[in-house]
Amino acid sequence: MKQEAKERLIFALDVDDFSAAENWVEQLHENVGLFKVGKQLFTRCGPEVVKMVQDRGGDVFLDLKYHDIPNTVAKAAVEACKLGVKMFNVHALGGAEMMRTTVAEVNAYCEASGNARPTMLAVTILTSSTAETLAGIGIDRSVEEMVPRLAKLAQDAGFDGVVASPKEVGLIRAACGDDFAIVTPGVRPTFAAMDDQKRVTTPTDAISAGATALVIGRPISAAKDPLAAAGKILAEIKTALAG
Ligand code: C5P
């Protein structure tokens, strides 16, 4: 998967209103290729916010983590394609049939419309989940067992990659090989505060471990000069890719 460094830096648009989102995109689009629009911003602003990012030269990672019956997820995914997003995700816990149906409908839509097919990612086990969380829902397996298992399920269904903790990259690479995207949040450059992230990795370590793209929010948004912070992270990504 050949990608420019800028496309590997995804800024989390963790704001609750349109104009704040617009300010971030205007400020950062030189150094940031993709902007992650999640449940809060999308529920507040809707598809308009996707269009706003695109109009300002950015691409969108639509982070809505679909999880429903196969037909419903597939239809929602086709709507995401119509918005022209570059990337979107579902919960792999929705199962193989849900993911296969989604891939089939997205492929059919993109072929018929001539739209580029978005990168389709699956969430394996949320990093907020522990062994206890899994036991509570009747899964008597460890997180370390479930993450590669679900990643492989997503890959076999035709998905392009997963969203995962940088700590899980090795397990996923071993299960899914090199041609599989791994998008990682929980990344902290050495110049930034930890915030509420506990198990963090630097951009260099995440890329060197095999992450294909990084989701970064506060290390950029809380910096005195956010564009410069994004520039430093971009430089770090380029160096790690070259090394
Ligand atoms: O500000 P920060 O860099 O921590 O933001 C990371 C983004 O990635 C947020 O949008 C957060 O919701 C998301 N995320 C995360 N950890 C996960 C999954 C998603 O921080 N395990």
Side-chain angles (χ1 to χ4, degrees):
M1 254 169 255
K2 186 95 182 79
Q3 271 181 310
E4 278 190 48
K6 189 177 155 181
E7 288 173 32
R8 296 172 185 266
L9 178 54
I10 305 172
F11 178 69
L13 274 176
D14 288 331
V15 292
D16 65 3
D17 78 89
F18 191 91
S19 60
E22 196 170 31
N23 286 339
W24 280 123
V25 179
E26 268 175 12
Q27 231 187 112
L28 296 174
H29 70 91
E30 260 173 59
N31 285 339
V32 173
L34 270 84
F35 292 84
K36 183 170 84 73
V37 174
K39 289 186 171 90
Q40 182 186 18
L41 186 62
F42 194 79
T43 303
R44 172 78 178 257
C45 300
E48 283 290 291
V49 79
V50 172
K51 188 165 181 314
M52 176 278 289
V53 174
Q54 294 162 338
D55 287 347
R56 278 160 186 72
D59 279 311
V60 171
F61 168 16
L62 192 63
D63 179 23
L64 298 181
K65 298 187 183 71
Y66 300 128
H67 186 172
D68 212 309
I69 58 171
N71 181 58
T72 301
V73 171
K75 295 284 186 269
V78 168
E79 293 305 322
C81 296
K82 290 183 192 168
L83 295 179
V85 303
K86 185 98 179 207
M87 198 178 257
F88 71 87
N89 56 6
V90 308
H91 272 287
L93 283 168
E97 192 196 336
M98 184 197 89
M99 291 190 281
R100 277 198 306 266
T101 308
T102 302
V103 169
E105 295 215 14
V106 163
N107 286 349
Y109 170 77
C110 291
E111 268 162 40
S113 65
N115 283 15
R117 180 186 182 281
T119 300
M120 297 172 65
L121 301 176
V123 173
T124 57
I125 297 294
L126 290 169
T127 49
S128 51
S129 295
T130 60
E132 216 178 353
T133 321
L134 295 186
I137 54 171
I139 299 176
D140 291 321
R141 289 176 196 272
S142 67
V143 171
E144 292 71 27
E145 221 178 318
M146 289 302 292
V147 166
R149 179 188 175 126
L150 290 166
K152 188 79 181 71
L153 195 74
Q155 186 180 38
D156 290 345
F159 268 62
D160 305 300
V162 288
V163 183
S165 148
K167 309 285 176 194
E168 295 163 348
V169 170
L171 283 174
I172 295 164
R173 278 273 163 260
C176 301
D178 287 338
D179 194 19
F180 195 60
I182 306 178
V183 175
T184 59
V187 176
R188 286 291 173 273
T190 40
F191 64 78
M194 297 277 276
D195 304 307
D196 54 357
Q197 298 283 9
K198 295 196 177 60
R199 298 184 304 136
V200 300
T201 303
T202 64
T204 302
D205 288 347
I207 295 286
S208 304
T212 42
L214 314 177
V215 175
I216 300 192
R218 289 163 293 179
I220 294 174
S221 63
K224 277 208 186 79
D225 182 342
L227 183 64
K232 273 200 246 178
I233 296 168
L234 200 59
E236 207 175 315
I237 293 174
K238 281 184 188 157
T239 307
L241 287 172

